[in-house]
Amino acid sequence: MAYLSVLTVVVPNVVNAQEPLLNLQEAVSIAVQEDPWLTASKQTQEAFASEAIASSSLPDPQISLTAASFPVDSFSSRQEGMTQLVVGVSQAFPRGDTLSLSRKQKNQLAQKQPFLRADRIAKVKTTVTKLWLDVFFFQQSIRLIESDRALFEQLVSTAKASYTSTEGKARQQDVIRAQLELTRLDDRLTSLRQKEEQLQSELSEWIGVIAKSTLPDDLPSLTLKKTLLSPSTIPNQALYELIKEHPVLQATDQDILASETSVELAQQGYKPQWSANLKYGHRNDDPSGNDRADLLSVGVTFDVPLFTDNKQDKQVRSAKFKTEAKKTEKLLVARQLIANLRSTFLQLNRLNERAALYHEELLPQMSAQSEAALTAYNNDDGDFAEAVRSQIAEIDAKIDALAIAINRQKLIAEANYLLLSGV
């Protein structure tokens, strides 16, 4: 991280050494480990894997038991030759390659989950990183103001002493102005603490820490995966090459594959569905005691898809449109990733310029101005209001420099998410 050395100078280390600190790496690690979404995704993958096996199995055979052709006058099983006790079994066979295609589709949907998990982990890391950095900003801003508050207390004391002295040049309005600025600082601290507590609560949602977390004083330096010097002039195709392996696009690819398999499944509707049946009929001896032969029946049934206009044709057409819709969805996601990547690097490059300006020129100038104004006032050669304004302006500049450094890190985290590839 360039341009951060100034921050380590202007932010004092006031954290108790015995107090546990929550650094960025720990916060991200806890958030990923405790994310229930990842567990649900693994369970979903296992569910699809089980469904793949189940969907590739033949339907259960059907057993039939029939008392056939019993005479209603006597209900004797010997009276008529047609009377039988029949046991039958039938087995249905789905159309064409329906079974293998169903298994293929379920496996494709199962293989989508690792990509979704990779994207989720990256999103959790990015979200927690941004929240941690926001908490860091407010904690460090509070410390900056608290460290300069003593100077304003000294100004109040100096103004009061000068006002009450017979030789002093301070006016009553100087005393009031000093007290007013001190009150404003206290109000500003209260507002910053309120925002910090709110962000602490949002961070605790991810890491499960209810109590207030104290962060280290050193701003972590995230490493950018790739640098784009002129993002505004890079063609979209070149940017697409950078994001084409992003897990969210790979997950969409699995949806497209599953949708293409749906087309193949719909096309199986043009093929007949078969079923085979086997029946064994037992006959008792006739009334004279003569043996009657048992009977065996074997049959095959199948449907004939003749009227396909309003059924099979429409099912195939629907499946194809759904596939094209998935491809369009991928195009939209890719366009959004490209736009976000370009915007992120444009902002990052501008913040780099601002960070250099603050580090090399603005902060030294603000420090020199406030010191000169304070020295002039102490030597009875300057205006009290100008001394106060210069001190406040220096505090604001330090906080602005801190905000720039924080926003740079947040943009680096966002850029690294957009440049994510693989599982």
Side-chain angles (χ1 to χ4, degrees):
M1 270 286 296
Y3 316 124
L4 289 183
S5 58
V6 63
L7 295 178
T8 59
V9 174
V10 298
V11 181
N13 188 353
V14 296
V15 179
N16 189 333
Q18 296 179 349
E19 193 173 25
L21 301 178
L22 178 68
N23 62 44
L24 177 57
Q25 185 177 1
E26 291 172 343
V28 169
S29 178
I30 293 172
V32 172
Q33 291 175 5
E34 299 297 325
D35 186 16
W37 191 97
L38 299 175
T39 301
S41 174
K42 292 177 182 178
Q43 294 167 341
T44 300
Q45 184 175 358
E46 290 296 330
F48 276 121
S50 297
E51 288 180 10
I53 297 174
S55 63
S56 64
S57 302
L58 287 171
D60 293 331
Q62 294 183 328
I63 304 296
S64 62
L65 300 174
T66 307
S69 302
F70 270 69
V72 295
D73 56 350
S74 65
F75 289 98
S76 170
S77 62
R78 295 186 175 189
Q79 176 178 327
E80 302 294 337
M82 296 185 298
T83 302
Q84 305 171 50
L85 295 175
V86 182
V87 177
V89 59
S90 62
Q91 176 65 60
F93 300 91
R95 306 177 190 277
D97 297 325
T98 298
L99 295 181
S100 61
L101 289 173
S102 296
R103 180 167 188 163
K104 177 183 176 182
Q105 185 181 52
K106 296 297 183 182
N107 283 329
Q108 288 167 335
L109 293 174
Q111 291 164 11
K112 173 185 176 182
Q113 292 303 313
F115 298 114
L116 292 179
R117 287 198 296 274
D119 180 64
R120 173 69 177 190
I121 290 172
K123 282 183 176 177
V124 169
K125 289 181 177 180
T126 303
T127 300
V128 173
T129 295
K130 290 180 178 180
L131 280 173
W132 189 97
L133 289 169
D134 284 336
V135 174
F136 181 91
F137 170 75
F138 283 100
Q139 285 191 359
Q140 297 300 326
S141 296
I142 290 170
R143 292 171 191 168
L144 275 169
I145 294 177
E146 286 177 340
S147 67
D148 286 340
R149 189 179 185 279
L151 176 60
F152 281 87
E153 291 176 341
Q154 183 181 354
L155 285 173
V156 171
S157 300
T158 302
K160 286 181 177 179
S162 179
Y163 177 67
T164 58
S165 173
T166 57
E167 298 179 357
K169 294 185 178 181
R171 298 167 296 176
Q172 184 181 16
Q173 67 182 37
D174 292 342
V175 177
I176 296 174
R177 174 66 184 270
Q179 291 175 330
L180 175 61
E181 293 302 335
L182 189 60
T183 303
R184 284 179 173 175
L185 278 184
D186 289 336
D187 178 66
R188 191 171 181 182
L189 283 171
T190 301
S191 177
L192 290 172
R193 290 190 179 105
Q194 180 183 5
K195 284 294 296 181
E196 183 205 358
E197 290 169 356
Q198 176 187 341
L199 290 165
Q200 287 271 12
S201 177
E202 294 179 17
L203 183 61
S204 68
E205 177 185 350
W206 292 96
I207 64 177
V209 178
I210 304 301
K212 177 179 178 180
S213 301
T214 302
L215 311 186
D217 282 329
D218 296 330
L219 179 63
S221 179
L222 303 180
T223 303
L224 192 61
K225 291 183 178 180
K226 187 176 181 62
T227 301
L228 302 182
L229 298 178
S230 303
S232 60
T233 60
I234 298 177
N236 283 346
Q237 184 58 39
L239 291 178
Y240 177 75
E241 292 299 319
L242 296 177
I243 56 94
K244 67 179 181 180
E245 298 298 327
H246 196 284
V248 73
L249 292 180
Q250 291 181 300
T252 308
D253 284 337
Q254 290 301 126
D255 278 336
I256 292 172
L257 291 175
S259 189
E260 289 174 343
T261 304
S262 294
V263 176
E264 296 182 69
L265 277 169
Q267 290 171 340
Q268 303 309 303
Y270 294 108
K271 299 178 181 180
Q273 178 171 294
W274 297 77
S275 64
N277 59 81
L278 175 67
K279 294 181 179 180
Y280 180 82
H282 172 72
R283 297 195 298 174
N284 284 334
D285 297 341
D286 64 17
S288 301
N290 297 320
D291 182 47
R292 287 175 175 158
D294 293 341
L295 303 177
L296 180 67
S297 301
V298 178
V300 175
T301 59
F302 57 92
D303 59 11
V304 182
L306 293 179
F307 309 105
T308 61
D309 290 348
N310 293 325
K311 187 176 181 181
Q312 286 88 346
D313 290 353
K314 299 302 182 184
Q315 289 174 337
V316 172
R317 179 182 173 86
S318 173
K320 288 181 177 180
F321 275 119
K322 288 180 180 179
T323 300
E324 294 304 314
K326 290 295 182 182
K327 293 179 180 179
T328 303
E329 179 182 333
K330 180 184 178 181
L331 176 61
L332 293 174
V333 172
R335 288 174 61 180
Q336 184 177 17
L337 288 175
I338 290 171
N340 290 344
L341 185 62
R342 191 188 301 277
S343 173
T344 299
F345 273 97
L346 285 171
Q347 294 179 67
L348 186 57
N349 289 346
R350 292 305 181 191
L351 281 182
N352 288 338
E353 295 174 4
R354 292 189 65 196
L357 182 63
Y358 267 78
H359 175 70
E360 297 170 4
E361 298 182 34
L362 193 56
L363 284 177
Q365 290 171 359
M366 297 297 291
S367 178
Q369 179 190 22
S370 64
E371 183 177 354
L374 187 59
T375 300
Y377 174 72
N378 289 334
N379 293 332
D380 295 330
D381 190 30
D383 181 58
F384 179 81
E386 179 61 29
V388 171
R389 282 195 298 268
S390 63
Q391 292 298 323
I392 295 174
E394 184 178 8
I395 294 175
D396 291 340
K398 291 177 181 178
I399 293 177
D400 288 343
L402 176 63
I404 290 172
I406 294 294
N407 287 332
R408 287 186 72 252
Q409 295 301 290
K410 291 167 70 174
L411 286 172
I412 289 174
E414 181 67 23
N416 285 342
Y417 165 73
L418 296 170
L419 293 170
L420 185 66
S421 62
V423 177

